[in-house]
Amino acid sequence: RDQIWATAAALAADVGGQVDAACREGGLLDEVANLVEGPTPVRGAFAPQFLELPKELLVMVMRKHQRYFPVEDPATGALLPHFITVANGAIDEYTVRAGNEAVLRARFEDAAFFYRNDCEQPLEAFRPKLAGTAFHKELGSMLDKADRTERLVAPLAALMQVEGQPVATATQVARLARADLATATVMEMTALAGLMGRHYALRDGQGQEVAEAIFESVLPRQAGDGVARSTPGMLVSLCDKLDALVGLVAAGCLPKATADPFGLRRTAYGILQTLVENDASVDLKAAVEAAASVQPIAAGDGGVGEV
């Protein structure tokens, strides 16, 4: 593990770059180390014009799809047109480099196609397409869920004693927050949800606060992830999670001791983590009742109690 990291760091430094430390702590280094017995890091390159694509998109392709280490500019954090791959055993370095560069080029060309198609429309134009994506058979489509989240913003804000511009911004954010799920880029790479929403919102001329809150609305995504810090982002994140938790419990999707297919424990923990880390407070029973009031099926006293 240490050998891979040291060699990768040296190869990146040779072209004036560095490997993002997140690759070391975020699991990629461990994953690569477990895949190879005789690691041989190799530096490759790609066409600089691909750097016109969003950094998040390029990094996702390299890290998630190819298990490559992206190379960054140490001063700015911007990507450089290089990557580090790790081959196994004795290799012909030229052949391995050329093969990996060809694979990455094809991946980037696909990503560029999806991204450019998405850019032909504003983010809000994708929102109606959520009607074609099911959330749950008793709870409707993702568009229905987005509508419920938007309707829940004002009641939850009142319970949390938030008023004024943050509530108006949160309502705007709630309307756009799940639209990126209908974009070609996110449909192809679902882990980019929220990240691409933020990018497309900025591209459409939405303010930084709105764009950042769109990204924050999906937080936390997994254990150890950050939480929403802005008030609009926190409100929308909480509304989205409350709607999912209350609706799915009402639909009979309670987790069992050995199975939690809808990730409801993680959703509940995300609600609590967001409140605790923001030093925010809310009457949870009242918040659950507010979420129950916008559901298409009755949660009932039992369902509210289960939550």
Side-chain angles (χ1 to χ4, degrees):
R1 184 179 186 275
D2 291 340
Q3 175 191 346
I4 293 172
W5 184 256
T7 307
L11 289 171
D14 286 343
V15 290
Q18 66 178 16
V19 180
D20 184 358
C23 294
R24 186 171 195 168
E25 307 303 330
L28 179 61
L29 179 59
D30 289 334
E31 186 178 0
V32 169
N34 290 330
L35 287 172
V36 294
E37 293 182 0
T40 305
V42 176
R43 185 180 65 243
F46 57 87
Q49 59 260 36
F50 286 122
L51 294 174
E52 297 173 5
L53 298 173
K55 177 182 177 180
E56 299 91 342
L57 177 55
L58 298 176
V59 168
M60 182 61 64
V61 171
M62 285 189 276
R63 291 183 58 175
K64 192 80 171 179
H65 287 213
Q66 299 303 125
R67 300 186 182 91
Y68 295 164
F69 296 97
V71 178
E72 297 181 342
D73 184 317
T76 65
L79 284 179
L80 298 177
H82 300 278
F83 65 90
I84 311 295
T85 185
V86 181
N88 192 29
I91 60 165
D92 180 332
E93 186 170 324
Y94 175 82
T95 301
V96 169
R97 178 184 297 110
N100 280 276
E101 287 176 346
V103 169
L104 186 61
R105 180 169 60 252
R107 288 282 195 182
F108 279 174
E109 286 172 350
D110 287 344
F113 175 78
F114 296 134
Y115 174 72
R116 286 167 186 150
N117 277 353
D118 290 344
C119 289
E120 292 177 0
Q121 304 176 74
L123 180 61
E124 187 156 5
F126 290 96
R127 191 176 189 275
K129 299 178 184 180
L130 293 173
T133 303
F135 174 57
H136 186 277
K137 63 181 180 180
E138 293 186 50
L139 301 173
S141 67
M142 287 302 299
L143 180 58
D144 296 321
K145 176 173 173 30
D147 286 339
R148 291 195 300 271
T149 299
E150 186 178 353
R151 285 156 51 200
L152 189 53
V153 168
L156 183 65
L159 288 171
M160 297 181 71
Q161 299 182 344
V162 177
E163 55 186 22
Q165 187 57 45
V167 182
T169 301
T171 303
Q172 181 183 0
V173 169
R175 181 166 183 80
L176 295 173
R178 292 294 170 267
D180 67 344
L181 294 177
T183 64
T185 301
V186 175
M187 290 177 70
E188 183 69 16
M189 290 172 273
T190 55
L192 287 172
L195 288 164
M196 294 310 297
R198 175 175 63 186
H199 176 84
Y200 291 139
L202 287 171
R203 186 182 174 280
D204 291 344
Q206 299 286 351
Q208 182 68 44
E209 184 180 27
V210 169
E212 194 61 33
I214 287 173
F215 168 63
E216 289 182 331
S217 71
V218 305
L219 301 177
R221 294 160 294 185
Q222 67 269 328
D225 204 5
V227 301
R229 293 297 182 182
S230 72
T231 300
M234 177 180 66
L235 281 172
V236 179
S237 177
L238 292 171
C239 288
D240 178 71
K241 291 171 177 59
L242 281 166
D243 172 77
L245 186 62
V246 174
L248 289 167
V249 168
C253 301
L254 274 170
K256 298 179 173 59
T258 56
D260 184 11
F262 291 94
L264 295 186
R265 292 190 185 95
R266 184 177 66 245
T267 299
Y269 180 75
I271 292 171
L272 296 177
Q273 183 184 357
T274 299
L275 290 169
V276 169
E277 292 197 22
N278 282 285
D279 196 23
S281 61
V282 67
D283 182 332
L284 284 174
K285 185 173 186 296
V288 168
E289 289 171 347
S293 72
V294 300
Q295 299 303 316
I297 55 176
D301 292 340
V304 171
E306 291 283 8
V307 175

